[in-house]
Amino acid sequence: LHFATLPKKAKMKLAVSDITSRSSPAIVSIKTKDKEGAEIAIGSGFIISSDGIIVTNFHVLESVYKAEVKIGESEFKEAYLIKGDPSLDIALLKVDAEDLSVLPIGNSDDVINGQFVVVLGNPLGFERSVSSDIISGIRSKGELKLLQMTAPVSLGSSGGPVINEYGEVIGITTIASFLFAQNLNFAIPINHLKKLISEK
C-alpha cells in the first residue's frame, strides 16, 4: 500500500476553507450494526487508497456484526476489516470501489505543540463537519504517543482525520477508553498507522 504524499515543493499553507474543500471528498461516515440489523454507532473515517481502503478507529468496529460506509452520496453496504490493532485504536476497512479521492499523509514526528490543525468528521452524525484549533500537547502512554488538541470532538468524530495547514493527515481522532480524562481531545499520530501497515 502506497500512501499519497505531498512533495515538498507542493506544500503551501492553506486556508481552513481550502483544506475542507480538498479533504471532504475523502471523508467517510461509518454505520455499525448488530446481527439483527439495528444500528450500534456511527463513526468517521478517511480514504487512503483510491481502490477503497479506509482508516478509522478500532473501537468503532469492535463487537459489531456489520459496517456500512457512506462516501458522499454513495453507500457501500459491505465493508471488510482488513487489519486492526486495538492497542493503537486503528483499523483499516475495505470497500469495493475505484477512483476515490484520497488524503495525503504527513509525518506526525514533525508535529509541534501549538501548531494549527483542522479536524474533519461526523460528530453526532452531522456529516463532514469541520473544526479547527491547535495541538495543545504531545503525550505518551506506554508505547503509544497521543496528540492532545483543543479542537472539539464529539461522538461520531472517532476515526476522522486531523489535518495540518498543508492539507496532510497527521493524526486520527479518537475518544477511546484508554485516554486520560473526558473533555480532552486526542488523536493517534499518523506514523502509528504507517507502522501498522508496514507490519506483516
Side-chain angles (χ1 to χ4, degrees):
L1 176 63
H2 292 287
F3 295 120
T5 54
L6 288 180
K8 276 192 175 169
K9 286 179 184 170
K11 287 193 184 185
M12 287 169 50
K13 291 187 180 180
L14 302 169
V16 176
S17 55
D18 291 330
I19 292 170
T20 305
S21 62
R22 288 184 189 198
S23 305
S24 285
I27 308 300
V28 311
S29 64
I30 300 166
K31 273 185 189 167
T32 54
K33 298 190 170 180
D34 64 16
K35 272 189 173 173
E36 279 70 53
E39 194 174 304
I40 300 170
I42 190 162
S44 304
F46 57 95
I47 305 165
I48 57 166
S49 170
S50 61
D51 62 352
I53 297 177
I54 293 161
V55 178
T56 187
N57 285 151
F58 189 88
H59 80 260
V60 170
L61 303 169
E62 211 163 5
S63 311
V64 307
Y65 180 69
K66 186 181 182 190
E68 296 179 357
V69 170
K70 189 169 179 232
I71 305 171
E73 296 307 310
S74 303
E75 294 192 22
F76 298 85
K77 298 294 184 188
E78 299 290 336
Y80 307 96
L81 178 67
I82 54 174
K83 200 163 195 178
D85 187 332
S87 67
L88 296 175
D89 197 26
I90 298 174
L92 292 174
L93 278 176
K94 174 83 172 69
V95 295
D96 189 14
E98 291 178 353
D99 300 324
L100 297 176
S101 293
V102 301
L103 291 185
I105 302 299
N107 181 2
S108 53
D109 289 346
D110 294 341
V111 173
I112 56 169
N113 234 347
Q115 87 170 60
F116 176 78
V117 289
V118 173
V119 180
L120 293 172
N122 309 301
L124 304 175
F126 292 102
E127 291 182 7
R128 294 180 175 176
S129 297
V130 56
S131 60
S132 64
D133 225 310
I134 59 165
I135 297 290
S136 54
I138 298 165
R139 311 291 176 202
S140 292
K141 196 166 193 287
E143 295 285 295
L144 186 68
K145 257 190 176 177
L146 289 167
L147 306 176
Q148 184 183 332
M149 55 190 183
T150 53
V153 171
S154 303
L155 285 169
S157 299
S158 289
V162 178
I163 299 171
N164 67 12
E165 60 195 356
Y166 304 113
E168 300 169 306
V169 182
I170 47 117
I172 306 161
T173 304
T174 181
I175 46 173
S177 56
F178 56 57
L179 300 179
F180 307 89
Q182 292 178 334
N183 304 323
L184 290 173
N185 304 313
F186 288 94
I188 301 147
I190 203 65
N191 289 9
H192 283 311
L193 170 68
K194 295 177 185 175
K195 189 173 164 223
L196 176 66
I197 286 175
S198 68
E199 289 168 358
K200 293 291 179 237

